[in-house]
Amino acid sequence: MTNVDESTNSVYGTTDRNVGGVALGRRCLEAPQSVIKRNPPIKGKINFATWNVRTMNPHGSLEQIVKEADRLRIDILGIAETRWMNNGRVKTTEGWEMYYSGGAERYAGVGFLIRPEVKESVTEVRPVSERIMYMRVNAKPRPFNIIQVRKRR
């Protein structure tokens, strides 16, 4: 079962103006320095993958994707064509977190699915538009950025 963070339609309840339902690059989730210092960096190997899921609208899609990512031992999964509206964060009962960015219509959309053991090391998630999303991860020997992009048809 999936629980949706109902505070607002943006990541962690941040707000900013919207243009036609598309998030602007100014919208950002950034943890304070004290939180970043507490977030332990990831050590060792990280399994990262991308997947064009075509749609996540049917009921149970997120649970199916979480099950497959867990089976393949994927830590961070970049997802294209979620077809979810607006921006936000979803927590699953298994502890996974899904950050997503979409538009005013159920078209396009990108997101990140993050394993529970890795989510503490995520320091920033920024939805740029319905086709672009940015994430910063605290890791050793240095932090890294991940950009999930869905091309325009």
Side-chain angles (χ1 to χ4, degrees), residues 44-75:
K45 202 184 272 189
I46 297 174
N47 292 322
F48 178 77
T50 60
W51 192 2
N52 183 343
V53 295
R54 304 242 172 134
T55 184
M56 290 179 66
N57 284 331
H59 183 71
S61 296
L62 180 58
E63 288 81 10
Q64 186 176 10
I65 292 168
V66 166
K67 187 175 178 181
E68 192 66 16
D70 195 35
R71 184 183 72 80
L72 295 171
R73 296 185 185 104
I74 296 171
D75 297 313

Side-chain angles (χ1 to χ4, degrees), residues 46-115:
I46 297 174
N47 292 322
F48 178 77
T50 60
W51 192 2
N52 183 343
V53 295
R54 304 242 172 134
T55 184
M56 290 179 66
N57 284 331
H59 183 71
S61 296
L62 180 58
E63 288 81 10
Q64 186 176 10
I65 292 168
V66 166
K67 187 175 178 181
E68 192 66 16
D70 195 35
R71 184 183 72 80
L72 295 171
R73 296 185 185 104
I74 296 171
D75 297 313
I76 300 172
L77 178 63
I79 300 175
E81 288 194 51
T82 60
R83 298 181 191 249
W84 284 2
M85 296 174 65
N86 303 318
N87 305 318
R89 178 184 79 181
V90 175
K91 292 182 181 181
T92 67
T93 54
E94 297 87 3
W96 290 69
E97 285 195 21
M98 169 79 180
Y99 295 93
Y100 62 94
S101 177
E105 299 177 13
R106 292 192 183 274
Y107 180 77
V110 293
F112 289 110
L113 185 64
I114 304 165
R115 180 178 291 278

Side-chain angles (χ1 to χ4, degrees):
M1 182 127 212
T2 304
N3 298 326
V4 178
D5 183 3
E6 299 271 352
S7 57
T8 64
N9 284 328
S10 59
V11 178
Y12 278 103
T14 58
T15 57
D16 198 10
R17 62 188 181 95
N18 256 352
V19 177
V22 177
L24 299 177
R26 294 181 186 92
R27 205 180 287 188
C28 167
L29 161 69
E30 189 165 352
Q33 283 293 40
S34 60
V35 173
I36 291 173
K37 289 178 183 174
R38 286 183 293 177
N39 288 355
I42 298 171
K43 296 177 183 174
K45 202 184 272 189
I46 297 174
N47 292 322
F48 178 77
T50 60
W51 192 2
N52 183 343
V53 295
R54 304 242 172 134
T55 184
M56 290 179 66
N57 284 331
H59 183 71
S61 296
L62 180 58
E63 288 81 10
Q64 186 176 10
I65 292 168
V66 166
K67 187 175 178 181
E68 192 66 16
D70 195 35
R71 184 183 72 80
L72 295 171
R73 296 185 185 104
I74 296 171
D75 297 313
I76 300 172
L77 178 63
I79 300 175
E81 288 194 51
T82 60
R83 298 181 191 249
W84 284 2
M85 296 174 65
N86 303 318
N87 305 318
R89 178 184 79 181
V90 175
K91 292 182 181 181
T92 67
T93 54
E94 297 87 3
W96 290 69
E97 285 195 21
M98 169 79 180
Y99 295 93
Y100 62 94
S101 177
E105 299 177 13
R106 292 192 183 274
Y107 180 77
V110 293
F112 289 110
L113 185 64
I114 304 165
R115 180 178 291 278
E117 297 81 14
V118 176
K119 69 182 178 185
E120 293 178 1
S121 298
V122 174
T123 57
E124 181 180 356
V125 176
R126 182 181 305 165
V128 178
S129 73
E130 63 186 11
R131 290 186 165 85
I132 303 171
M133 198 165 187
Y134 161 90
M135 181 171 64
R136 184 163 180 83
V137 180
N138 192 13
K140 289 284 184 181
R142 63 178 53 111
F144 62 90
N145 302 324
I146 303 171
I147 300 171
Q148 177 66 27
V149 179
R150 181 197 179 271
K151 74 173 193 149
R152 182 172 288 203
R153 288 187 184 223

